[in-house]
Amino acid sequence: QVQLVESGGGLVQAGGSLRLSCALSGRKFSDYAMGWFRQAPGKEREFVAAISWSGSASYYADSVKGRFPVSRDNAKNTMYLQMNSLKPEDTAVYYCAAFYGRNWPSFRAYDYGSWGQGTQVTVSS
């Protein structure tokens, strides 16, 4: 019943910024810790960032730490990923997902579900 929809992707020059949004419907948003993942062509889906139920704790992959702050607004049922100082290697389809695992924090795609459709981010040199 949980539905997630990502938006905000696009084409941007290296060094630029994009803000991704993930909107949840069907359930109470604050019932879910959330995560961002990405998948580049020919690569496995990889963890990007995660945020706790209230937004009080955030976790990041080393590749994006300091560049991609994650936040959430439970009143708006929305999670955000502010992507700054973008690099060509950030090019990927970005997905949001809800945490369903038993141990938090988790950086494994296996522990997440209700995946959104993804939004394409392309960073040119």
Side-chain angles (χ1 to χ4, degrees):
Q1 186 61 41
V2 171
Q3 181 182 0
L4 298 174
V5 178
E6 302 95 336
S7 62
L11 175 64
V12 65
Q13 291 276 107
S17 297
L18 287 172
R19 192 189 197 196
L20 305 186
S21 298
C22 171
L24 181 147
S25 61
R27 292 288 189 272
K28 186 177 180 181
F29 185 55
S30 59
D31 284 349
Y32 299 93
M34 302 290 294
W36 286 101
F37 293 77
R38 67 187 183 186
Q39 189 164 24
K43 304 293 185 180
E44 294 185 351
R45 189 167 296 188
E46 68 172 343
F47 169 78
V48 176
I51 189 165
S52 63
W53 292 259
S54 68
S56 63
S58 302
Y59 307 87
Y60 300 94
D62 287 343
S63 59
V64 308
K65 191 173 297 181
R67 295 192 296 130
F68 288 8
V70 63
S71 61
R72 67 189 294 164
D73 186 339
N74 286 347
K76 295 182 178 180
N77 298 326
T78 303
M79 175 178 65
Y80 305 95
L81 187 69
Q82 178 64 52
M83 302 188 296
N84 302 309
S85 301
L86 282 160
K87 305 173 181 179
E89 53 262 44
D90 296 319
T91 295
V93 177
Y94 284 71
Y95 300 90
C96 66
F99 176 71
Y100 291 100
R102 297 175 183 171
N103 297 299
W104 178 261
S106 172
F107 316 131
R108 303 191 309 167
Y110 176 85
D111 286 329
Y112 293 79
S114 300
W115 298 91
Q117 83 288 350
T119 186
Q120 176 71 50
V121 172
T122 303
V123 184
S124 62
S125 301

